[in-house]
Structures are given as structure tokens and as C-alpha cells.
Amino acid sequence: MSAYALGWRPQSTRCDLLAGSRIQALMRTLSALAFALLSLAGCTQTAHESTLQDVVAQHVAARGGAAAIEAVQSFEGDIEIVEPSFTVNGLYVATRDGSMRVDISAGGERVFTEALDRGRSWSWSPSDGVKEGTAQGAVALRHGIDLPIKLFGLHEMASGGHRLELRGRETIDGTEFHVLRLTLADGFETLYYLNSKSGLIERDRQRRALHVDVDPEPVWIETRYEDYRPVAGVLFAHRQVERELESGTLLSTVTLREVRINPPLAPDRFAPP
């Protein structure tokens, strides 16, 4: 019987075979590891990539669901408005069909009213009585109705003739946000910052005038939405803090003291006296 049959090999041949086997085994291990890493990377990427539909769905679910939001036909709130030079109370009411009214009182007396009645804006004060509103004022009042804060949801923007875009992610003060840009049918733009974990809108940024009929010069204003609470199955922010974005100057704080959804409204509620 030969030496080969007994399993003996020349030393160099055994080393070559052993080396070849180890190299092949190493290559198989490296290939498997590379495949696993690529698979993991693919899973991670998929988990962190969100579409516009994903972000909107998360937000709508966080607020209470599409059915609950769409059931809000009218919104009425008792509010407190604090600005650097004054503090007043107000009663704000708006409807999905495009009407709104806000009555402002100080010291228990009504001092100002502003309203939108079927597209016509008007205001009232003790000194001037009823005055026809400006076109700019009417547009600003309409924005307050259409934006997805009180009556409407983000999922309804397209059906209202508005355009919604996902602009990516941004981290502000340690919080990661999905950034959406909403362009209303008239071209007015708002950037919304949705907390990537909760799905709720915590900030928005707009270039606009704070009080358009007093000072029409637009500036970048950031509004922070805080103290979300459920009313009629829908979450509403009960505090809004407005600051000039560039300087950080505090412009106003609006606190919702009470919210009523779909209250009974008199037919002439929005008409001038």
C-alpha cells in the first residue's frame, strides 16, 4: 500500500491544502458577513425612511383618527391672548364652510370684533362701529380656518385644493421633526414640524404680518403648539406661543381655556349687527 493511501502527504502539499481550505472557509465567512451587513443596512434604511403618506397617517392617528377630525364641523373656544403691551380675552368660533368670528373683551367689556361672513370680512369697535374689512384681512382670517389646526386634518389638504410636501427631517433643540410644507390654494406657505415620535405638530413657521391691518409688513414667525388635550375625541393644542423667528422676540401667547366642538350657532352669528 502506498504512502498516499495511508494519508501521508509531502509537507508542502499538506500546507498548501490546509491553506487553501482555510482561505475558502474565510471567504465563505466574509461573504456571509457582508450579506448580513447589507441586509441589516437595508432594514435600517427602510425603517427610517418615511413617505408623505406615512407621516400624515401617523399625525392623523395621533390626533384621534380621520373620522373624528372630519366630524368637527364647527369650533368654538374661549381664549386668552397675551402680548407684550396687553392681555385680553376672546371668544373664537369658526366653521368648515368658511365663516368665523372673534370677539375680544377687556375688563369684562367687548372692545373689538372681527368676522368673516361668506367671504366678506368686517370689524367692529366702540369708536368706529362696523367697518368693512380689507382684502388682506379677509385672506388672513380665511387662513386661520383652512390651516390644519382647528377644523381640518392634514389628510384633507389635497381635497381642499392645497399642496402638501415632505421636506425631510430636521433636529431642533434635540428633537427630531418631520418637516412638511403646506401651500394653500392661494399660494400661502407654512412649514410644519411634526415630532417624529408623537406625530403631533409642535412648531410651524410662516412669513406673515402679526396683525395685517395694523402693520402689513411680513416677518418670519414661529408658532409653538403645546399642551395637547383631547376634545370630542380629537387632540387640540391648548397653548400657542408666537415668536419672531430671527430675533426670538415673544409676540403673543394664546391659551385655550375651553373648547366646544359643534356647538349650536345662531344663523346670524357671523353677520355684522
Side-chain angles (χ1 to χ4, degrees):
M1 186 177 290
S2 69
Y4 278 94
L6 293 173
W8 181 87
R9 299 288 188 274
Q11 186 66 35
S12 60
T13 303
R14 285 191 301 176
C15 289
D16 291 342
L17 290 173
L18 287 171
S21 298
R22 289 171 179 168
I23 290 172
Q24 290 176 0
L26 179 61
M27 291 298 293
R28 287 195 296 270
T29 301
L30 290 174
S31 296
L33 180 61
F35 179 79
L37 289 173
L38 286 172
S39 299
L40 181 60
C43 292
T44 302
Q45 184 179 23
T46 301
H48 283 81
E49 285 184 353
S50 298
T51 65
L52 174 62
Q53 291 73 22
D54 293 335
V55 175
V56 171
Q58 181 192 17
H59 171 74
V60 170
R63 285 200 68 203
I69 294 172
E70 292 169 24
V72 179
Q73 296 298 307
S74 59
F75 173 101
E76 185 176 59
D78 298 319
I79 60 178
E80 179 188 64
I81 304 171
V82 180
E83 295 194 9
S85 59
F86 62 83
T87 297
V88 295
N89 296 314
L91 177 61
Y92 177 95
V93 60
T95 65
R96 275 184 173 246
D97 63 6
S99 296
M100 63 77 58
R101 174 172 174 155
V102 59
D103 294 295
I104 303 298
S105 61
E109 298 290 333
R110 182 162 68 106
V111 295
F112 184 71
T113 294
E114 194 169 30
L116 190 63
D117 180 25
R118 294 186 294 273
R120 173 197 175 196
S121 68
W122 59 271
S123 65
W124 172 92
S125 67
S127 58
D128 298 330
V130 175
K131 291 177 59 177
E132 195 75 19
T134 66
Q136 284 181 311
V139 168
L141 295 177
R142 182 68 201 213
H143 290 167
I145 298 171
D146 290 340
L147 293 174
I149 300 298
K150 306 179 189 76
L151 292 157
F152 296 97
L154 282 175
H155 66 293
E156 300 179 89
M157 293 297 97
S159 62
H162 315 306
R163 187 172 72 254
L164 198 60
E165 305 166 83
L166 179 61
R167 305 293 294 171
R169 296 180 184 231
E170 186 173 338
T171 298
I172 305 174
D173 297 335
T175 299
E176 184 181 66
F177 296 97
H178 294 294
V179 184
L180 302 182
R181 181 169 67 187
L182 173 64
T183 305
L184 295 183
D186 64 4
F188 182 75
E189 293 185 355
T190 302
L191 291 173
Y192 286 107
Y193 293 77
L194 284 69
N195 187 303
S196 62
K197 292 183 179 179
S198 70
L200 295 173
I201 294 173
E202 292 189 357
R203 302 171 186 243
D204 73 30
R205 292 175 180 175
Q206 301 171 335
R207 183 166 172 77
R208 60 178 172 85
L210 182 63
H211 299 298
V212 67
D213 286 336
V214 176
D215 182 0
E217 184 65 27
V219 295
W220 277 103
I221 295 175
E222 179 181 81
T223 302
R224 299 189 186 186
Y225 298 91
E226 304 169 352
D227 191 18
Y228 274 92
R229 303 182 203 170
V231 182
V234 181
L235 285 184
F236 294 94
H238 280 58
R239 184 167 53 251
Q240 300 178 21
V241 182
E242 294 182 322
R243 294 181 182 272
E244 187 177 350
L245 183 60
E246 185 175 353
S247 66
T249 301
L250 179 64
L251 301 175
S252 73
T253 300
V254 178
T255 302
L256 271 172
R257 290 177 167 170
E258 185 179 354
V259 177
R260 294 172 290 278
I261 300 302
N262 301 332
L265 300 174
D268 61 351
R269 181 68 179 270
F270 306 101

